[in-house]
Amino acid sequence: VGLQSGTSERGVGDDAFDVPLWDAHLSAYYENRDFLGGLRKLRLEERPRLVVLQSFPRAEQPRFGNVASATFRQPGFLEPRTELVASLRWEWGPDPFDTFFRHEVDGRLALERHFFDQRLFATVGLRSNVYRVPDGELREDGSPPPADSHLMFVHERLRLDLRDDGQRPHRGALLQVDAQQAGFVPYVLASSWDYVRLVPEARVYAPLPRGLTIAARFQLGFFFLRGADQGLDPLSRELGPRSQRLRGGGASSHRGFLPGRLGDGEEGGTRRWLGSIELRTPLTADTGLVAFFDVGDVSRAPSFRFDHPQAAAGLGFRYFTVLGALRVDLAVRLPGMQVFGADERSPGAVPTNVSFGFFDFPGAFHVTLGEAF
């Protein structure tokens, strides 16, 4: 039994991303680590949950949801160090950036392999997604929800990890690129969209005296939408599948904004850039402070808006546990450093303030587990 706040999973086997909701859940699983012999692993998990469509700890009008998943892993597939992964995940619950509930089924069939003493990781495979919204569900503003859709795409990821510690890095670098291609084989890999998605990222960690660390990150996101089914709603035809759109803001993204609120807002965009730099200062063996500076933008335009930095600075506290850093971050958006020139952000992008009752300021407050990067 537990709580989950601030992050969610995008499909099966993908990275977490920030969402403006939280849940209280039960979780039960069965795992067999020698399924049918050969060290094959089978894991079945069931997770009923009570979902609150607001940031923690607000708790108005919760609804019941459910997540069920099955994952099969076979080591030594084709050759000793390649692993075959097959998974299926069904979720009944809210769209991560709206209030309507939907059925979403994700499937994955992939090959994974590590190289060079686990430093280099590569995976390639097929991913699928079926998105269905029951009758009677409405968006937060009372408008109809998105149209039903299906998605089939090829997914590749390449990651080079040269950090000294994955949980608390002090020196080194991490380079990765994530790519998707959908709709390029219309009959074999049928999909409601034809697109290419590419997200490269670089992280660098430089040690300083007395255990201090300078950490920096830069990320770009490209979404090239080449076609969409005419039966989709207009926004889906313009921006692509909701689960794969580029968004920003949140504890693991731009901390000056709540999840999904960066740039053109929660509906997402087709271009994203993010940059962060931190000074990490240890206080004790189990605690630390962080000063950070975040910039970035999410745009629906076919180009990057580097003149929309939307800069924020802040301070954070870390308490290091066996599950990762318990993290509290407070960020303030800097006046005069939001947009240089004409403001081209969508009117639907509504930034939020932090309020302490007697005063408030433009920014955001985050509580979560794990470092931002």
Side-chain angles (χ1 to χ4, degrees):
V1 61
L3 299 175
Q4 178 169 300
S5 171
T7 61
S8 183
E9 293 179 354
R10 174 176 286 149
V12 180
D14 216 337
D15 286 337
F17 67 111
D18 296 309
V19 294
L21 55 83
W22 64 279
D23 69 49
H25 59 263
L26 298 173
S27 182
Y29 73 89
Y30 165 80
E31 185 173 86
N32 189 325
R33 299 188 180 187
D34 194 25
F35 180 66
L36 301 178
L39 297 180
R40 296 175 179 89
K41 182 186 292 186
L42 175 68
R43 182 184 176 99
L44 308 175
E45 186 167 358
E46 167 68 11
R47 184 178 173 179
R49 56 186 186 144
L50 188 65
V51 188
V52 179
L53 307 179
Q54 297 164 313
S55 297
F56 184 83
R58 297 169 64 188
E60 299 173 12
Q61 298 180 331
R63 291 183 64 179
F64 284 102
N66 192 61
V67 178
S69 63
T71 304
F72 171 78
R73 290 181 173 271
Q74 179 177 329
F77 183 77
L78 300 181
E79 62 90 36
R81 288 177 290 179
T82 299
E83 189 169 50
L84 172 69
V85 182
S87 57
L88 188 66
R89 180 178 185 269
W90 165 68
E91 179 181 348
W92 163 244
D95 178 273
F97 294 95
D98 213 306
T99 57
F100 64 89
F101 271 47
R102 85 285 187 245
H103 295 281
E104 192 164 8
V105 180
D106 284 287
R108 179 180 182 232
L109 182 64
L111 298 177
E112 296 181 353
R113 194 184 193 281
H114 286 88
F115 302 84
F116 308 123
D117 194 27
Q118 307 290 309
R119 292 293 187 179
L120 181 64
F121 171 78
T123 180
V124 60
L126 287 176
R127 296 278 299 275
S128 65
N129 177 277
V130 178
Y131 194 95
R132 296 290 184 268
V133 183
D135 294 338
E137 294 289 333
L138 296 173
R139 289 176 178 268
E140 186 175 11
D141 60 6
S143 62
D148 294 344
S149 63
H150 62 277
L151 183 62
M152 180 75 76
F153 60 92
V154 179
H155 180 214
E156 307 97 354
R157 176 175 296 168
L158 189 65
R159 180 175 65 238
L160 178 62
D161 190 347
L162 303 176
R163 299 173 296 177
D164 58 344
D165 187 319
Q167 292 291 330
R168 297 177 64 177
H170 183 56
R171 68 174 70 238
L174 184 145
L175 305 172
Q176 70 176 11
V177 59
D178 188 280
Q180 299 177 10
Q181 306 86 37
F184 61 96
V185 186
Y187 298 103
V188 179
L189 302 179
S191 177
S192 298
W193 291 271
D194 180 356
Y195 71 81
V196 174
R197 186 180 188 270
L198 187 66
V199 182
E201 180 177 358
R203 307 176 188 179
V204 178
Y205 306 86
L208 297 177
R210 299 186 181 276
L212 276 69
T213 304
I214 291 286
R217 169 183 62 179
F218 187 73
Q219 183 192 88
L220 294 174
F222 306 82
F223 194 98
F224 303 99
L225 186 59
R226 302 182 296 188
D229 289 352
Q230 291 304 305
L232 297 170
D233 57 283
L235 201 58
S236 294
R237 290 199 302 270
E238 177 189 357
L239 299 178
R242 292 183 65 83
S243 62
Q244 304 302 327
R245 293 177 196 169
L246 300 171
R247 295 181 175 88
S252 301
S253 177
H254 191 308
R255 285 161 284 186
F257 295 82
L258 292 179
R261 295 294 185 89
L262 179 63
D264 283 348
E266 293 178 318
E267 293 296 343
T270 57
R271 297 293 185 275
R272 178 179 67 199
W273 69 275
L274 293 170
S276 299
I277 187 167
E278 294 187 348
L279 175 63
R280 300 176 178 177
T281 305
L283 296 178
T284 68
D286 297 322
T287 61
L289 292 177
V290 171
F292 60 86
F293 180 76
D294 292 346
V295 292
D297 181 48
V298 174
S299 169
R300 299 184 187 182
S303 58
F304 294 99
R305 300 185 303 203
F306 292 110
D307 59 348
H308 287 50
Q310 299 159 91
L315 293 173
F317 174 78
R318 307 290 184 265
Y319 176 69
F320 300 103
T321 73
V322 294
L323 299 177
L326 176 61
R327 176 159 58 100
V328 179
D329 286 331
L330 178 64
V332 181
R333 293 193 296 276
L334 302 177
M337 297 185 66
Q338 299 304 295
V339 176
F340 302 130
D343 191 341
E344 299 176 352
R345 291 175 291 184
S346 166
V350 182
T352 57
N353 288 357
V354 176
S355 176
F356 289 102
F358 54 93
F359 79 100
D360 59 14
F361 55 86
F365 181 71
H366 308 280
V367 180
T368 190
L369 275 173
E371 292 286 9
F373 60 93

